[in-house]
Amino acid sequence: MTAELICFEGRCRSRYAITEPIYNCPRCGGLLEAAYSKPESSVAEWKALWRARRTSNAPLDQSGVWRYREFIPFLADYSRVVTLREGSTPILDGRLAAEYGGLDRLRFKHQGFNPTGSFKDNGMTCGVAQALRLGMTRVACVSTGNTSASMAAYASAAGLQPIIFIPYGNIAYGKLAQALEYGARTFQVEANFDQILALVRQLAERLGIYLLNSINPFRIEGQKTIMLEMMDQLDWRVPDWVVLPGGNLGNTSAFGKGLREMKELGLIDRLPRLAVIQAAGAAPFYDLMRAADRSQLHAVVHPETLATAIKIGDPVSWPKALHEVNTTCGVVEQVSEQEIADAKAVIGKAGIGCEPASAATLAGIRKLTAAGTIAKGSDVVAVLTGNVLKDPDYVHQYHTGVLKAPDNTVIKSNFGNAPVVVPNDAGVIEVMLRG
Ligand code: F0G
């Protein structure tokens, strides 16, 4: 099987060796994607092979990414792959959340169960594997938090130096803490995500540092396996909808590519529809889908949302994401700060929990069922992208009724669960508990 990089732009489609350290097409500037020749073996055998590997103790087989290596065959040699046992994340039934979302049933594919607590690990193990293959010694990214936490862990585990750039004062503490603990050189830049991405691209180019943002096509290959693993766990029965939050739109691109490729290979017989949910203060993709002319995305210059993971105004992967949403007959919705906060508390109360950006999924589902876009009886899987402990400040502020939206209005703590201060007195507490 051969692997190469191909320009995503339909009018260019230039091809490059898989070992070129490039992120955009040198000819036209378009996004790049990994492409493979048709597999020689029967893909029907893959399903049995992937199932069998679940009982293996080999590190690559235990990884929910590399278990599926036939689906992402960009490496010639697996001996230097670093796995922290990413993937293998559960699909959980959320009864309370289904009711809140206006559905008979709702399942969550919870990427917060990953080693660094987000879906970024699926992509990062691949990005770092490619960095090692190319002989890189330093890797960099700009991040709203999760990419940096993940890159820090995987790069350090691989013996590479992680260099991360984050918007000063605008990422959740859990994520910053991880980057520091995993030994990343950490720069807090007084600018927003979009501005810092331009800066990091410049620095990476000048200093020969390998860039591990989601424009890196190998990150996308890893994130594709989230959909493959989901289908394997669903015994290849395709759901009607897959719902996910949208920020820089790498994940939307990855999910769409994964689903398309599964269909092309005959692993699934139809495509689920993608529903991408953005925070209303950072929703350029939502705006694009409503525009008469979809040939150019108009950036939101000052994106605002408490769901800092998706506080992005100029998503780089929008051409790919647009293609994937169109291909799957998908939709894009936006939700308010209040809607995200309440949905998040409901996911928590269902015993599942997630970070704010992830909860945009349930808030979006509630809106889309109310509008009749998603039918009550539909088979829906929402992808929770990050762990509840990523942003403990948000959780505490919501439950104690002091969470404020970016415009300074107080978010109503509709599902609040404030802690109660009591004296060290069993009698007093007993009265309260009997009441
Ligand atoms: N959910 C979480 C928890 C995220 O961290 C991100 C992105 C998204 C959703 C959106 O995914 O960008 O592929 O559309 N976080 C990036 C970061 C930008 O730097 O950690 P996307």
Side-chain angles (χ1 to χ4, degrees):
M1 185 167 319
T2 57
E4 58 189 345
L5 289 169
I6 297 190
C7 175
F8 186 76
E9 285 300 317
R11 60 192 147 72
C12 178
R13 297 301 280 171
S14 296
R15 291 156 180 264
Y16 304 94
I18 198 80
T19 47
E20 289 269 348
I22 48 176
Y23 322 98
N24 285 96
C25 175
R27 292 206 183 90
C28 79
L31 298 165
L32 295 172
E33 63 176 0
Y36 310 104
S37 59
K38 277 233 151 47
E40 283 128 35
S41 61
S42 143
V43 296
E45 287 163 18
W46 288 0
K47 290 185 180 176
L49 178 66
W50 295 334
R51 223 14 107 81
R53 282 182 185 152
R54 287 201 204 177
T55 57
S56 160
N57 281 329
L60 281 194
D61 295 345
Q62 288 193 344
S63 160
V65 171
W66 299 106
R67 178 184 307 140
Y68 301 106
R69 49 197 176 269
E70 290 75 13
F71 193 61
I72 49 166
F74 62 90
L75 285 181
D77 163 20
Y78 293 99
S79 62
R80 293 184 68 200
V81 167
V82 171
T83 170
L84 298 173
R85 309 301 184 271
E86 55 289 328
S88 305
T89 59
I91 295 184
L92 306 171
D93 241 296
R95 259 186 297 144
L96 191 69
E99 197 181 305
Y100 182 79
L103 291 170
D104 293 336
R105 184 181 188 196
L106 173 57
R107 286 180 287 185
F108 292 108
K109 170 94 176 131
H110 204 327
Q111 293 302 112
F113 280 64
N114 263 301
T116 78
S118 86
F119 71 97
K120 306 290 180 179
D121 294 343
N122 292 66
M124 207 51 77
T125 185
C126 289
V128 164
Q130 182 70 4
L132 286 169
R133 168 205 217 163
L134 298 177
M136 300 287 174
T137 54
R138 296 196 287 181
V139 291
C141 70
V142 52
S143 177
T144 56
N146 281 323
T147 300
S148 51
S150 181
M151 195 192 81
Y154 280 84
S156 288
L160 302 173
Q161 186 186 45
I163 306 169
I164 69 170
F165 297 82
I166 50 179
Y168 182 49
N170 269 304
I171 78 165
Y173 255 120
K175 304 175 188 181
L176 176 58
Q178 287 180 293
L180 301 178
E181 187 81 359
Y182 294 134
R185 241 179 124 171
T186 305
F187 296 97
Q188 308 196 78
V189 188
E190 288 173 323
N192 68 29
F193 178 92
D194 308 300
Q195 296 161 328
I196 306 171
L197 181 57
L199 177 96
V200 176
R201 288 178 77 144
Q202 245 184 55
L203 287 168
E205 169 97 39
R206 278 196 223 158
L207 299 170
I209 301 172
Y210 195 56
L211 199 59
L212 280 175
N213 274 104
S214 58
I215 41 164
N216 184 308
F218 303 98
R219 285 265 322 272
I220 301 297
E221 289 307 287
Q223 287 171 215
K224 255 173 35 179
T225 63
I226 299 169
M227 286 295 96
L228 185 64
E229 183 179 80
M230 175 190 79
M231 288 314 314
D232 187 2
Q233 289 166 318
L234 296 177
D235 293 321
W236 308 98
R237 278 191 287 272
V238 181
D240 300 315
W241 290 90
V242 171
V243 187
L244 75 161
N248 215 14
L249 301 175
N251 221 18
T252 307
S253 311
F255 284 15
K257 184 173 193 270
L259 292 165
R260 268 192 296 112
E261 290 178 351
M262 272 188 269
K263 177 140 185 293
E264 281 156 22
L265 289 167
L267 292 166
I268 54 175
D269 54 6
R270 65 185 179 96
L271 296 174
R273 298 176 72 181
L274 287 178
V276 182
I277 318 295
Q278 295 209 288
F285 191 46
Y286 171 82
D287 295 341
L288 177 76
M289 293 304 287
R290 255 137 209 84
D293 174 10
R294 293 186 192 163
S295 62
Q296 190 52 51
L297 175 133
H298 297 287
V300 171
V301 182
H302 297 294
E304 285 296 358
T305 173
L306 296 179
T308 48
I310 50 173
K311 189 172 165 180
I312 293 175
D314 195 6
V316 284
S317 293
W318 73 264
K320 285 184 176 176
L322 177 64
H323 176 74
E324 305 306 352
V325 168
N326 286 339
T327 306
T328 64
C329 293
V331 297
V332 182
E333 184 54 274
Q334 63 172 4
V335 289
S336 70
E337 296 298 310
Q338 183 71 53
E339 288 169 323
I340 293 174
D342 286 338
K344 182 173 133 53
V346 170
I347 295 169
K349 204 157 187 307
I352 293 171
C354 65
E355 70 161 280
S358 312
T361 53
L362 179 59
I365 288 167
R366 186 172 159 94
K367 256 181 124 165
L368 291 167
T369 53
T373 310
I374 298 183
K376 190 170 181 288
S378 306
D379 184 3
V380 182
V381 178
V383 178
L384 299 179
T385 44
N387 190 286
V388 67
L389 290 175
K390 287 278 188 176
D391 197 347
D393 290 341
Y394 182 112
V395 181
H396 187 254
Q397 287 174 20
Y398 175 85
H399 287 291
T400 53
V402 298
L403 186 65
K404 279 192 184 160
D407 66 2
N408 243 0
T409 55
V410 175
I411 305 259
K412 284 196 214 83
S413 156
N414 291 325
F415 299 89
N417 182 27
V420 184
V421 180
V422 290
N424 183 13
D425 183 329
V428 172
I429 302 171
E430 187 181 334
V431 170
M432 292 173 79
L433 286 175
R434 284 184 189 280

